[in-house]
Amino acid sequence: MESYRTIETRGEGSYEEKKSRFLGVAIPTKTEEEVQAALQEEKKKYYDAKHHCYACILGEKGELRRFSDDGEPQGTAGKPILTVLEGQNLRNVCIIVTRYFGGTLLGTGGLTRAYGEAAKRAVEAAGPLVMQPGKILRITMDYSLLDRVNWYLKKQEIKTLTTAYTEKAREEILVREDQLPALTSFLSQTGSGSIQADIIKKGFFGFGET
């Protein structure tokens, strides 16, 4: 499973050329319904604007791609927004760019540049997040091993999600796929087989920007 990039929060960016204003927003979305809801929200917010162009890539493998010029010349709006998504390897993201006409025609080149720039600035404001394959593990151990295990987790920058103190120490941790072999070996050697590790969840998780 290859890593991909997404955004964790909404981001906004604008661009102006010859008094035409391009208002971009990047929104984390996972379904077409969420995309349409976001589009309707922007249309309601900027009800007096003529063009609300967008593009989205959905799915961890980018299975679904949509874009719309919304009345702009073909290929001058939706496609350059989609190009920003593709160029940054973004998934589960929708970018909407609303245009207020400034009275001067920009031409196809000017429109393409403006829509792409507004989309790019919106993504930058949102702060891309790298999604990598990994697992959430629940590890259970004797209290005598807790300090050694936590030292290793901190050294390897493995995030502890929860900690519970019952008859034994129990922690849920988030581990990248490439960290698993070394972690498994460490737990086996450290606990001489007594540390139990159970998979709670597997998939793609946010491990920060690279």
Side-chain angles (χ1 to χ4, degrees):
M1 295 189 292
E2 296 182 359
S3 63
Y4 67 95
R5 299 165 83 237
T6 189
I7 57 174
E8 193 170 17
T9 60
R10 177 190 179 103
E12 298 181 357
S14 62
Y15 180 78
E16 185 170 328
E17 185 167 339
K18 297 180 181 179
K19 297 184 179 180
S20 277
R21 290 190 299 136
F22 298 82
L23 308 176
V25 57
I27 305 169
T29 49
K30 292 186 177 181
T31 67
E32 288 191 84
E33 289 76 16
E34 290 179 357
V35 171
Q36 290 304 314
L39 186 59
Q40 291 306 313
E41 181 180 338
E42 291 303 296
K43 287 183 176 180
K44 184 177 179 180
K45 182 178 180 181
Y46 302 112
Y47 64 90
D48 54 342
K50 186 176 180 180
H51 304 288
H52 303 274
C53 308
Y54 82 96
C56 65
I57 298 181
L58 307 180
E60 294 171 346
K61 297 181 180 179
E63 302 94 327
L64 182 63
R65 299 172 187 230
R66 297 280 188 271
F67 64 91
S68 169
D69 295 314
D70 193 32
E72 293 283 30
Q74 185 176 359
T76 63
K79 188 63 175 177
I81 298 172
L82 182 65
T83 298
V84 171
L85 292 170
E86 293 174 334
Q88 298 196 33
N89 191 29
L90 290 166
R91 303 287 185 270
N92 290 329
V93 177
C94 172
I95 301 176
I96 302 167
V97 179
T98 297
R99 180 196 181 190
Y100 281 97
F101 182 52
T104 302
L105 296 175
L106 303 183
T108 57
L111 284 174
T112 299
R113 179 174 61 253
Y115 275 103
E117 185 62 29
K120 181 181 177 182
R121 293 182 182 185
V123 170
E124 289 173 350
L129 178 71
V130 175
M131 301 294 287
Q132 300 181 58
K135 291 183 174 70
I136 294 178
L137 300 181
R138 180 186 294 132
I139 53 176
T140 306
M141 74 205 88
D142 293 330
Y143 282 98
S144 60
L145 302 173
L146 185 59
D147 287 342
R148 291 178 64 188
V149 170
N150 283 339
W151 169 83
Y152 179 86
L153 297 179
K154 184 176 180 180
K155 181 181 178 182
Q156 299 300 320
E157 298 183 345
I158 296 174
K159 185 177 182 180
T160 300
L161 303 176
T162 64
T163 303
Y165 303 106
T166 54
E167 291 184 11
K168 292 188 175 183
R170 179 177 296 166
E171 294 184 330
E172 290 188 5
I173 60 176
L174 176 58
V175 189
R176 293 198 315 268
E177 200 72 38
D178 61 354
Q179 294 175 313
L180 277 171
L183 173 64
T184 301
S185 177
F186 169 80
L187 294 178
S188 178
Q189 294 176 15
T190 300
S192 299
S194 67
I195 299 178
Q196 183 178 348
D198 299 306
I199 299 174
I200 304 302
K201 185 178 181 180
K202 57 183 178 179
F204 285 87
F205 302 91
F207 290 94
E209 177 66 294
T210 59

